[in-house]
């Protein structure tokens, strides 16, 4: 029994030793700067997209609100009025904020802004096909006025429009009801 405990203790010591951080080297490498050399590369303040939260097609409204809480809080901390929690309630005060404040707040908070679902993300080379298939599915299910919207330079997602130029209420209502069904059908293909 004693030899078993000794063996287990030595194995544990070996594992712990293997997991410890190595000592920092004592020697430092000198760098040489010469005149006319290129300036050091600037580091972007925006974190990589992989560290940003991402929406999913199957999220509920409450989950989407929760996902956006940190971003909305950050915007508020950087001078933008609160958008509320998205659940309704008291009306917001009308506040005018200059474009510079909006741009600065959005730049400061970009790392917390949720990315769109991958299926709609402009970074996804297949997103146009997905949106086209959702629009076709909606048309096949009887939504008369539905079309793909062209993304603008500031968009990060593809979108679709319901109702046409006359805001056909039947198309809007039917479309809003059927979008989750069509998204699910197309995502599972």
């Amino acid at each position: 029994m004693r030899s078993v405990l000794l063996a287990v203790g030595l194995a544990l010591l070996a594992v712990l030793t293997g997991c410890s951080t190595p000592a920092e080297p004592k020697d430092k490498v000198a760098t040489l700067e010469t005149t006319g050399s290129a300036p050091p590369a600037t580091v972007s303040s925006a974190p990589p997209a992989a560290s940003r939260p991402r929406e999913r097609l199957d999220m509920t409204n409450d989950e989407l609100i929760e996902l956006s809480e940190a971003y909305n809080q950050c915007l508020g901390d950087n001078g933008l009025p609160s958008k509320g929690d998205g659940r309704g309630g008291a009306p917001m005060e009308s506040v005018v904020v200059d474009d510079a404040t909006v741009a600065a707040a959005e730049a400061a908070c970009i790392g917390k802004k949720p990315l769109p679902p991958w299926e709609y993300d402009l970074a996804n080379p297949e997103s146009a096909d997905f949106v086209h298939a959702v629009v076709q599915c909606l048309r096949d299910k009887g939504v008369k006025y539905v079309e793909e919207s062209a993304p603008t330079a500031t968009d990060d997602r593809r979108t679709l429009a319901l109702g046409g130029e006359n805001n056909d209420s039947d198309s809007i209502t039917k479309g809003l009801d059927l979008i989750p069904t069509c998204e699910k059908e197309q995502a599972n293909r």
Side-chain angles (χ1 to χ4, degrees), residues 87-182:
R87 293 182 174 98
M92 286 182 41
E93 293 180 27
S94 187
V95 178
V96 177
V97 181
D98 63 285
D99 291 342
T101 301
V102 172
E106 288 177 348
C109 301
I110 191 69
K112 295 178 181 183
K113 181 180 182 185
L115 292 164
W118 181 242
E119 293 83 357
Y120 286 97
D121 195 323
L122 287 173
N124 177 359
E126 297 175 1
S127 64
D129 294 335
F130 178 80
V131 172
H132 180 75
V134 169
V135 167
Q136 191 57 50
C137 173
L138 291 168
R139 287 179 181 153
D140 292 347
K141 293 185 183 301
V143 179
K144 189 173 182 180
Y145 297 103
V146 58
E147 60 188 40
E148 300 167 49
S149 300
T152 66
T154 58
D155 289 340
D156 62 352
R157 69 181 66 218
R158 294 191 185 277
T159 59
L160 51 94
L162 296 168
E165 62 184 43
N166 294 324
N167 285 330
D168 179 64
S169 63
D170 186 50
S171 291
I172 294 170
T173 302
K174 239 187 229 182
L176 290 174
D177 288 343
L178 292 170
I179 284 175
T181 302
C182 285

Side-chain angles (χ1 to χ4, degrees), residues 62-100:
D62 286 341
E63 289 172 326
L64 289 169
I65 290 167
E66 185 178 327
L67 187 69
S68 297
E69 282 177 359
Y71 177 62
N72 290 333
Q73 177 67 41
C74 181
L75 291 174
D77 292 345
N78 284 279
L80 294 185
S82 173
K83 295 180 180 179
D85 66 2
R87 293 182 174 98
M92 286 182 41
E93 293 180 27
S94 187
V95 178
V96 177
V97 181
D98 63 285
D99 291 342

